[in-house]
Amino acid sequence: MLLENLSNYQYLANPVTLTVIGWLLLYLFFVFFVFFYRLFSLNSWISKENDSLNTLLMGDTLSDNSSLNLCKEKTESIDRNVLNACIEASKKEAKRGLTFLSIVSSTAPFIGLFGTVVSILVAFSHMGNNTSLSLVAPAISEALIATAIGILVAIPAYSFHQILSNKFEDLISILKMQRDFIIND
């Protein structure tokens, strides 16, 4: 029944609404792709930095896998400024994808609303003087699909942004703890 309704919707909806829905579905695909890619990479990175921090706390030297060690190898002297620069470079890398999720979470409902407004305008323009609720209701319900999809895309985008932001903060705090330990050692 649902598949039948969706296939009928494809033929009944106007091209602008179909474009909006396609755009939102493309957004949804990339939201999940960016989230899982960044989640796995940040989790791996956090794990390496945690191991490195534990190594430092046990009295050993900085682990070879640490981002700060890679920076340390490139310079002859290590000081707070060099380590801060390394942390800033790590921040830039760790934040990749967060802007996209933020943009999608804020724009997807508006894109869906645009599709709804266009669909409603088209539905009203096709109705003549003999307008009744039985003619208007199906057109409006079909138009609201675009808004629903926009909200459906925004919710995971916002949630994923929050999850990755927390991972980002965890990573940066671990890097700062390593920096402080190296400086004070």
Side-chain angles (χ1 to χ4, degrees):
M1 173 95 176
L2 179 65
L3 251 36
E4 248 179 60
N5 288 342
L6 287 177
S7 66
N8 287 339
Y9 183 78
Q10 176 183 345
Y11 296 112
L12 296 174
N14 66 55
V16 172
T17 305
L18 290 175
T19 302
V20 164
I21 290 171
W23 184 357
L24 289 170
L25 292 176
L26 191 64
Y27 259 5
L28 187 62
F29 171 77
F30 282 111
V31 161
F32 276 91
F33 176 79
V34 167
F35 172 68
F36 285 112
Y37 176 75
R38 295 306 296 161
L39 180 69
F40 292 132
S41 63
L42 283 173
N43 278 340
S44 171
W45 193 354
I46 288 170
S47 176
K48 286 191 295 188
E49 296 301 340
N50 243 341
D51 291 345
S52 180
L53 178 61
N54 288 335
T55 302
L56 278 174
L57 294 174
M58 295 304 220
D60 207 352
T61 60
L62 192 61
S63 170
D64 292 340
N65 291 337
S66 175
S67 301
L68 297 181
N69 192 40
L70 297 174
C71 200
K72 189 177 168 183
E73 291 174 357
K74 293 180 182 177
T75 60
E76 293 168 12
S77 65
I78 196 76
D79 63 3
R80 181 173 283 282
N81 292 334
V82 171
L83 293 174
N84 285 339
C86 290
I87 291 173
E88 288 301 315
S90 295
K91 279 183 183 180
K92 184 178 176 184
E93 171 62 26
K95 278 186 132 177
R96 280 189 15 235
L98 287 176
T99 302
F100 172 75
L101 293 175
S102 177
I103 289 169
V104 170
S105 68
S106 62
T107 61
F110 295 114
I111 295 168
L113 186 59
F114 172 72
T116 298
V117 169
V118 169
S119 290
I120 289 174
L121 288 174
V122 168
F124 282 139
S125 72
H126 288 283
M127 293 178 198
N129 291 335
N130 47 351
T131 307
S132 69
L133 187 57
S134 63
L135 291 174
V136 175
I140 291 176
S141 68
E142 288 173 6
L144 289 173
I145 290 174
T147 298
I149 293 174
I151 293 168
L152 180 72
V153 171
I155 291 169
Y158 179 77
S159 300
F160 294 165
H161 179 271
Q162 294 303 312
I163 292 168
L164 292 178
S165 292
N166 285 339
K167 295 285 183 188
F168 166 77
E169 293 300 327
D170 291 346
L171 174 67
I172 298 307
S173 69
I174 293 168
L175 289 172
K176 287 180 178 179
M177 284 188 272
Q178 287 182 51
R179 175 203 60 203
D180 293 345
F181 192 87
I182 291 168
I183 295 299
N184 293 331
D185 194 29

